[in-house]
Amino acid sequence: MMDGKTIRNRLVGSEDERAVSPVIGVILMVAITVILAAVIAAFVLDMGDMGENAQAGVSVEGDGTDAVTISVASMDNADGVIFINSEEGQYVREDNEDLIDLDGTETAMELDTVGEQVTIEHDSTNFDHAGDYTAIAYIGENPENIEEQTGIRDFELTD
């Protein structure tokens, strides 16, 4: 008949036959935990990427009482610059006569070449919208389908 020590040695192994010591087991568990944490962190941090910001430079001339002239100084990675009324949330229309929502039926005024300039005028007959405006650089095919936009310069038209 077998005693308990003999049965234990057959099931677990004697001191000389054990495969992994407790120290090695702890080191392996810590290594697995560190690798798993690194993989999860890489996945989570990659999901936080918000894409690139549209970058362009414009200069604004004029005191804003009747008109401002806006010139494109640099386009960096932007595809164009458009103009929005900050208070009404509408864009300056291409013919410079009124503000519009970008719904595809009309075209927003845009600048897409370095050195290109436009004068936005305020008068009571054509463009009767004094207020705060923002030049917006955008990335995308056209202003109606903007992928990324960044406000780059504020200006004001007053009565």
Side-chain angles (χ1 to χ4, degrees):
M1 182 145 153
M2 295 187 170
D3 64 353
K5 209 173 206 183
T6 307
I7 294 173
R8 182 183 68 84
N9 284 342
R10 285 188 178 206
L11 293 175
V12 177
S14 67
E15 294 293 327
D16 297 332
E17 296 174 341
R18 291 195 184 154
V20 178
S21 73
V23 173
I24 301 294
V26 169
I27 291 172
L28 288 173
M29 291 300 289
V30 168
I32 290 170
T33 304
V34 167
I35 290 170
L36 187 61
V39 168
I40 291 172
F43 178 72
V44 170
L45 293 176
D46 188 41
M47 287 184 63
D49 185 22
M50 300 303 287
E52 62 181 327
N53 289 331
Q55 299 291 322
V58 297
S59 64
V60 178
E61 298 175 12
D63 61 5
T65 55
D66 292 323
V68 293
T69 300
I70 299 146
S71 304
V72 176
S74 68
M75 287 301 288
D76 293 340
N77 68 342
D79 292 321
V81 177
I82 54 179
F83 310 97
I84 189 170
N85 181 297
S86 306
E87 298 160 1
E88 297 183 31
Q90 293 180 309
Y91 295 84
V92 177
R93 194 165 67 182
E94 188 172 271
D95 61 13
N96 200 8
E97 289 189 0
D98 208 349
L99 297 174
I100 59 166
D101 292 318
L102 287 183
D103 59 5
T105 59
E106 298 185 53
T107 306
M109 178 186 295
E110 71 176 298
L111 305 177
D112 57 9
T113 308
V114 173
E116 188 176 7
Q117 69 180 25
V118 67
T119 300
I120 300 178
E121 300 176 300
H122 164 70
D123 62 40
S124 58
T125 56
N126 288 342
F127 191 70
D128 189 18
H129 294 283
D132 295 324
Y133 288 81
T134 301
I136 297 175
Y138 68 88
I139 297 174
E141 292 183 20
N142 55 45
E144 289 81 15
N145 187 22
I146 293 174
E147 297 168 15
E148 183 69 41
Q149 65 180 23
T150 306
I152 55 173
R153 181 72 190 264
D154 296 329
F155 57 95
E156 182 179 11
L157 289 174
T158 59
D159 289 332

